[in-house]
Amino acid sequence: MGKLSTHVLDITQGKPGVGVSIELYRVTANGKILLKNAVTNSDGRCDAPLLQNDDLLVGQYELIFAAGDYFAGQGVNVPAPRFVDKVTLAFGIADSSQNYHVPLVVSPWSYSTYRGS
């Protein structure tokens, strides 16, 4: 069975994003269901997979990263309102037997992601 994982890389400092709050939602026809709250560790990763085995289902998901709060906690001076604040990554799981790694590469001015394994 597969698993879902993530990590955060702060490209303004070239280091892991430590202490970033993350929410994971499953998106259904009836709305979003909060599945998990997590905070990144000293390596910018979660201590365990966000989903794995029978909990990883085919479907649509959203990861929401509190990037603006992270940068504020780092003492980064950004104007209000923040340009990058809560980063929402909407993605699909097509094969629950595979591993899906959905990282966030972020600065106060931009972000990107990719599908890793």
Side-chain angles (χ1 to χ4, degrees):
M1 297 298 286
K3 67 181 178 183
L4 172 65
S5 59
T6 190
H7 77 270
V8 178
L9 178 61
D10 173 349
I11 60 171
T12 61
Q13 300 183 63
K15 66 175 194 168
V18 178
V20 178
S21 295
I22 301 168
E23 297 172 339
L24 171 65
Y25 292 88
R26 180 166 170 79
V27 180
T28 70
N30 296 323
K32 297 193 303 189
I33 302 165
L34 178 63
L35 299 178
K36 184 169 276 192
N37 289 302
V39 176
T40 57
N41 62 22
S42 62
D43 195 32
R45 300 175 185 275
C46 298
D47 289 329
L50 296 170
L51 295 173
Q52 62 183 342
N53 303 324
D54 292 339
D55 292 331
L56 183 65
L57 303 173
V58 170
Q60 295 296 122
Y61 294 86
E62 287 184 2
L63 282 168
I64 301 177
F65 298 84
D69 291 345
Y70 164 77
F71 286 114
Q74 295 294 303
V76 176
N77 186 17
V78 295
R82 299 168 179 161
F83 183 72
V84 170
D85 192 19
K86 292 197 179 276
V87 175
T88 301
L89 301 180
F91 60 97
I93 301 290
D95 182 348
S96 62
S97 70
Q98 294 186 15
N99 292 335
Y100 287 78
H101 185 67
V102 184
L104 176 67
V105 181
V106 66
S107 82
W109 309 109
S110 67
Y111 61 89
S112 65
T113 191
Y114 56 90
R115 183 196 167 186
S117 61

